[in-house]
């Protein structure tokens, strides 16, 4: 008697709707509604839906797997930390190989000044500490005097140490080589500090001799102590004492007039100037092959532009 009571599937809610409404819903629905058969409840856990990968997805997933390890070889963290930062890291050897000769020379020229000043600051650490402690030590009277005078004595002592140590480092060839040698540069730095204190010791002995009314100690060269003392310089009209018999270069531009410098400071100015000239020659020799290559390439461009546009316009363009 199913025809009397209707269909046995009483769970279809759409069947109870008005026929016109049902037709409208079927027309507007993206997919035709299919009633789901009633399934008996069971205590089994729901099964996980397994997704099948298409051939395109599987090939993409295989290509997504990197052939190299995710952690760069230069990274210090094998677990992958900061891997995004280590991707762009290049060892110094590779950076030097990627850098052209001219860029390397320019970079070395810029870095040398900072390196020399840093080493001079290290050699004058005690003088800098004395200048800093001048404002904070002593009773209130000493601190008041320090604020009024701005510790001019300690400041001048530190300033002279810094500028003179830098010149000693430059004269001895500190950081002049393109290849950094830690032991060599440290020896040069220690030697520069030693020569500076030898200069101060000689000046103190001269002051003590003048106070006692005695002859000043013999003037010897700091850079060449075995050289015989020569009281007169290569310019007799100036009557300047220069230890070691150093000749005054014509292109010398000292920080102060030579007449206002001590004999050892004059020798230091000349030595630093000569070392600077040698350093510039080294830079030129290092960059000469690159400059020659650039000049040859420019000549070829000029010849081609001249043949196309004429000599006047070709020279102006190139």
């Amino acid at each position: 008697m199913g025809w009397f009571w209707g269909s046995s599937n009483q769970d279809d809610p759409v069947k109870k709707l008005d026929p016109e409404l049902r037709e409208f819903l079927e027309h507007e629905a993206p997919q035709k509604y299919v009633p789901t058969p009633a399934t008996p409840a069971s205590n089994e856990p729901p099964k996980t839906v397994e997704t099948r990968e298409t051939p395109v997805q599987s090939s993409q997933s295989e290509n997504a797997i990197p052939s190299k390890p995710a952690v760069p070889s230069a990274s210090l963290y094998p677990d992958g930390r900061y891997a995004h930062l280590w991707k762009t890291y290049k060892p110094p050897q590779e950076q030097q190989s990627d850098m052209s000769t001219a860029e390397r020379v320019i970079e070395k020229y810029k870095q040398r000044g900072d390196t020399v000043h840093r080493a001079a600051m290290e050699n004058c650490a005690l003088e800098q500490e004395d200048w800093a402690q001048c404002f904070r030590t002593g009773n209130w009277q000493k601190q008041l005097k320090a604020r009024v005078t701005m510790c001019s004595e300690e400041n001048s002592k530190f300033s002279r140490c810094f500028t003179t140590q830098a010149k000693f480092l430059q004269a001895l060839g500190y950081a002049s080589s393109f290849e950094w040698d830690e032991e060599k540069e440290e020896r040069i730095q220690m030697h520069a500090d030693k020569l500076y204190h030898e200069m101060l010791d000689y000046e103190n002995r001269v002051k003590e001799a003048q106070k006692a009314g005695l002859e000043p100690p013999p003037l010897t060269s700091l850079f060449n102590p075995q050289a015989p003392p020569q009281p007169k310089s290569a310019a007799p009209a100036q009557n300047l004492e220069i230890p070691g018999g150093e000749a005054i270069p014509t292109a010398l531009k000292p920080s102060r007039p030579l007449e206002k410098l001590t004999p050892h400071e004059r020798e230091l100015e000349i030595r630093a100037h000569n070392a600077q000239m040698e350093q510039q020659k080294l830079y030129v020799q290092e960059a000469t092959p690159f400059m020659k290559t650039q000049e040859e390439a420019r000549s070829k461009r000029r010849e081609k532009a001249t043949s196309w546009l004429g000599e006047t316009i070709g020279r102006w363009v190139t």
Side-chain angles (χ1 to χ4, degrees):
M1 297 177 64
W3 60 271
F4 184 80
W5 298 103
S7 177
S8 61
N9 188 4
Q10 299 297 331
D11 297 332
D12 188 4
V14 181
K15 190 174 181 179
K16 299 179 181 180
L17 297 176
D18 185 73
E20 295 181 0
L21 179 59
R22 180 175 180 178
E23 183 180 358
F24 174 78
L25 292 176
E26 290 178 354
H27 182 267
E28 294 294 329
Q31 294 181 356
K32 188 174 182 180
Y33 174 76
V34 178
T36 56
T39 56
S42 61
N43 297 328
E44 297 180 358
K47 297 182 180 180
T48 57
V49 179
E50 297 182 357
T51 58
R52 297 181 180 178
E53 293 185 356
T54 62
V56 178
Q57 292 177 348
S58 61
S59 61
Q60 291 179 355
S61 61
E62 291 177 358
N63 295 332
I65 299 175
S67 58
K68 297 182 180 180
V71 181
S73 59
S75 177
L76 301 178
Y77 302 96
D79 56 353
R81 284 180 292 171
Y82 313 111
H84 63 288
L85 300 177
W86 284 98
K87 286 182 180 179
T88 57
Y89 171 78
K90 285 187 177 181
Q93 295 80 4
E94 295 183 7
Q95 292 180 2
Q96 292 180 0
S97 61
D98 295 343
M99 189 181 299
S100 64
T101 306
E103 292 176 351
R104 188 174 172 220
V105 172
I106 295 173
E107 189 67 20
K108 181 64 178 178
Y109 181 79
K110 292 179 179 179
Q111 289 180 355
R112 197 200 176 197
D114 297 336
T115 307
V116 169
H117 291 163
R118 193 181 305 111
M121 188 68 71
E122 292 177 0
N123 287 354
C124 299
L126 296 179
E127 287 79 3
Q128 185 184 16
E129 182 67 19
D130 293 340
W131 178 48
Q133 292 294 334
C134 173
F135 295 96
R136 300 191 293 264
T137 58
N139 53 18
W140 68 271
Q141 294 180 349
K142 186 176 180 180
Q143 292 185 9
L144 180 61
K145 180 181 178 181
R147 292 182 180 275
V148 172
T149 60
M150 296 301 295
C151 295
S152 58
E153 183 178 354
E154 289 79 6
N155 187 16
S156 60
K157 184 179 179 181
F158 168 66
S159 299
R160 188 192 181 193
C161 176
F162 176 75
T163 54
T164 310
Q165 290 266 13
K167 287 186 179 295
F168 271 115
L169 291 167
Q170 181 179 350
L172 294 174
Y174 184 79
S176 59
S177 177
F178 285 93
E179 302 297 333
W180 180 265
D181 188 350
E182 187 70 27
E183 296 182 359
K184 176 185 175 183
E185 305 302 338
E186 187 175 358
R187 289 195 301 267
I188 294 176
Q189 184 178 356
M190 295 174 62
H191 189 49
D193 187 60
K194 176 185 175 184
L195 294 182
Y196 173 72
H197 286 91
E198 286 182 359
M199 182 185 71
L200 296 182
D201 182 64
Y202 177 80
E203 293 176 357
N204 292 331
R205 285 188 291 145
V206 170
K207 292 179 182 179
E208 292 176 359
Q210 290 176 353
K211 290 181 180 179
L214 303 175
E215 289 290 332
L219 182 63
T220 57
S221 172
L222 294 174
F223 297 90
N224 187 15
Q226 288 76 23
Q230 297 182 6
K232 302 297 180 181
S233 67
Q238 297 179 0
N239 195 21
L240 298 177
E241 289 183 309
I242 299 180
E246 292 287 340
I248 302 177
T250 55
L252 176 64
K253 296 180 180 180
S255 56
R256 290 187 298 165
L258 295 178
E259 296 82 1
K260 298 182 179 180
L261 299 178
T262 63
H264 285 146
E265 289 177 343
R266 296 170 194 153
E267 180 188 16
L268 178 59
E269 290 283 349
I270 296 173
R271 289 274 185 168
H273 173 78
N274 295 336
Q276 183 67 16
M277 294 297 103
E278 292 295 329
Q279 187 67 25
Q280 291 181 2
K281 290 180 182 178
L282 181 62
Y283 289 153
V284 172
Q285 292 177 1
E286 187 73 16
T288 295
F290 175 79
M291 296 171 62
K292 186 177 180 181
T293 304
Q294 294 294 320
E295 186 63 28
E296 292 176 355
R298 183 181 180 186
S299 299
K300 292 180 180 179
R301 293 195 304 269
R302 181 177 297 174
E303 291 178 1
K304 188 177 293 185
T306 302
S307 62
W308 291 347
L309 306 174
E311 184 176 359
T312 304
I313 300 178
R315 289 181 174 273
W316 179 74
V317 171
T318 57

